[in-house]
Amino acid sequence: MGVLSGKYSIHGGVIRDVGGRIVRHLVPAASTALNPMGLISAPFDIFNTFQLRDIAKTTQQLVGMSQATMALSGLNLAVSAVGFAVLYNSLKKVDERVKAIDKKVSWIKIFLESERRATLLLAADELSSLPDDTAHRTHILHSSRERLGHASMHYREHLESADDLMEAMAYQHFFCTAFLMRARCSAELGMFDNAVRELNAGTTDWLKEGQRIAKGMILGDGPERFLQKDYVEILPSAKLAEWMDFAHAENRGIAWIDTLRSNYSESSVARIKGLFSSGLDEGEKEQVVFMHNLVARSSVLEGYKSQYECFLENKITPSAFYKGIDGLTKESSVDGMYILAPTEAMAAASRAQETALES
């Protein structure tokens, strides 16, 4: 009810109160195969949260929102569940998609023949099957961490200069995966400060470029076109407002719709297309998928930052944390999700602090 009333907000796999304090962590009860570019078949109606009337379904609604965000982002909600094997498979999926595009496009040749691509894929493959032997495991983590640092810089530079939508989306995923894997290596080595710093720096760079892609390559000069009836089924008004918030780094919410409506009335091109449209073409559908992916990924990465800070505070590695999660029973989950609450002592301290602030 706190989420639905606005008292709490969801940031990927973390729920915060208005003061920014974490009140719950959300962790999937089982690993999920994810599409790194996002899904267009997600149940978008669950985003219309304020239309909910059946209070008995509140928790199910909360979990559904989180699962859809996870699916759209191509990332797991819990950083501890984002194992090296999951990241390796996501790289291969993007790699395969790039290979399927017309080879005459110049950036594809550069992408596929890059030495850093081979370095990143090799590191991901090696990390996905880490040995149990501590010495060998530590050696691989250190070695991979260094290589991933170079790969991350390489893909960030290519992302910054990308001017084609598919090119930008491919590079943003490889860049994002590289810095996530590097931060994970640091955390597994007990270098928690480094992990938090690397994740924060990578997320900041990714967000800058993600907003550039959203604003310049997807929304473009005529974002009011997304008000057309062809988009109704796959783009609720609340999500379109969220797109605008993300792209412009402004929290105007549903007020964006009035701005777009005003522009729409002045756009003869948009009106004509709206009257004679025969449905969305593949390029337009792809824009929707990619935009949903960017916005949802931003939310999940924000949640990762909080989770890494939690690992730092408790001096626990992601793998050790997830072993504890694996030990939980299915009866402890809610619709395939574990909702982790603070201990009684922490909850009491939080309530006392909230009472003090209110008084």
Side-chain angles (χ1 to χ4, degrees):
M1 287 306 299
V3 172
L4 299 180
S5 69
K7 181 180 180 181
Y8 299 143
S9 56
I10 303 176
H11 303 270
V14 173
I15 300 177
R16 295 180 179 274
D17 63 16
V18 291
R21 293 184 297 271
I22 297 174
V23 296
R24 293 291 187 275
H25 280 278
L26 304 174
V27 179
S31 297
T32 307
L34 298 172
N35 179 342
M37 294 299 195
L39 303 172
I40 199 167
S41 58
F44 295 117
D45 58 303
I46 65 174
F47 291 110
N48 296 323
T49 56
F50 294 101
Q51 295 180 12
L52 184 66
R53 293 291 179 268
D54 188 349
I55 303 302
K57 294 182 180 178
T58 301
T59 305
Q60 185 177 4
Q61 189 85 0
L62 166 67
V63 171
M65 289 171 62
S66 301
Q67 289 174 331
T69 301
M70 179 171 67
L72 291 168
S73 69
L75 295 171
N76 210 308
L77 283 177
V79 68
S80 55
V82 186
F84 293 117
V86 173
L87 293 173
Y88 176 51
N89 287 330
S90 76
L91 288 173
K92 289 198 297 182
K93 285 182 180 179
V94 173
D95 208 46
E96 290 167 3
R97 183 161 183 182
V98 171
K99 289 177 180 177
I101 304 174
D102 188 346
K103 300 295 191 300
K104 295 178 182 178
V105 181
S106 59
W107 71 264
I108 296 177
K109 179 179 175 64
I110 297 172
F111 181 90
L112 294 177
E113 295 181 359
S114 167
E115 182 182 341
R116 293 301 179 192
R117 168 180 164 273
T119 298
L120 182 57
L121 288 170
L122 179 60
D125 184 28
E126 195 171 32
L127 288 167
S128 64
S129 55
L130 282 170
D132 294 328
D133 177 78
T134 303
H136 286 96
R137 179 186 176 88
T138 301
H139 172 74
I140 292 172
L141 285 168
H142 274 295
S143 173
S144 297
R145 180 176 175 273
E146 182 177 356
R147 283 180 285 161
L148 289 166
H150 293 303
S152 178
M153 292 177 63
H154 168 82
Y155 283 110
R156 185 188 67 190
E157 290 173 359
H158 277 280
L159 173 58
E160 290 172 347
S161 61
D163 56 8
D164 172 89
L165 179 56
M166 185 61 205
E167 175 189 13
M169 289 302 296
Y171 277 121
Q172 68 84 27
H173 183 73
F174 267 59
F175 168 61
C176 188
T177 304
F179 78 72
L180 282 177
M181 293 180 71
R182 186 174 190 232
R184 181 66 182 266
C185 284
S186 296
E188 294 296 346
L189 289 165
M191 302 164 62
F192 300 108
D193 287 318
N194 292 68
V196 170
R197 185 166 56 251
E198 289 156 6
L199 182 67
N200 286 343
T203 299
T204 298
D205 290 338
W206 178 89
L207 182 60
K208 176 185 174 183
E209 293 306 313
Q211 288 170 332
R212 181 179 71 86
I213 296 169
K215 192 175 180 179
M217 300 184 189
I218 299 178
L219 294 178
D221 295 328
E224 61 273 2
R225 70 186 184 280
F226 291 106
L227 292 173
Q228 295 166 14
K229 62 181 181 180
D230 290 332
Y231 289 96
V232 171
E233 293 298 320
I234 58 174
L235 183 56
S237 297
K239 292 304 294 178
L240 178 54
E242 190 179 353
W243 281 17
M244 297 295 288
D245 275 348
F246 171 78
H248 294 273
E250 292 183 44
N251 294 317
R252 292 176 54 188
I254 206 69
W256 280 113
I257 302 302
D258 290 333
T259 300
L260 294 176
R261 287 169 63 196
S262 176
N263 293 340
Y264 189 84
S265 64
E266 299 173 2
S267 172
S268 58
V269 174
R271 288 202 307 274
I272 291 172
K273 189 178 188 307
L275 288 172
F276 298 99
S277 173
S278 58
L280 301 178
D281 60 33
E282 290 305 310
E284 290 169 324
K285 291 178 182 178
E286 193 170 64
Q287 286 183 336
V288 174
V289 174
F290 289 164
M291 191 69 184
H292 279 316
N293 176 259
L294 292 171
V295 175
R297 181 166 293 212
S298 174
S299 179
V300 172
L301 288 174
E302 184 65 29
Y304 282 2
K305 289 161 67 175
S306 302
Q307 291 173 28
Y308 267 116
E309 288 166 3
C310 181
F311 296 147
L312 169 61
E313 182 180 353
N314 293 281
K315 298 294 186 290
I316 183 172
T317 65
S319 57
F321 175 83
Y322 211 66
K323 281 183 180 178
I325 294 297
D326 282 342
L328 298 176
T329 62
K330 289 186 177 180
E331 289 73 23
S332 301
S333 67
V334 179
D335 295 321
M337 190 82 68
Y338 294 120
I339 303 176
L340 306 182
T343 62
E344 285 300 319
M346 291 177 65
S350 180
R351 287 194 296 269
Q353 184 178 7
E354 188 172 331
T355 301
L357 288 172
E358 290 176 349
S359 61

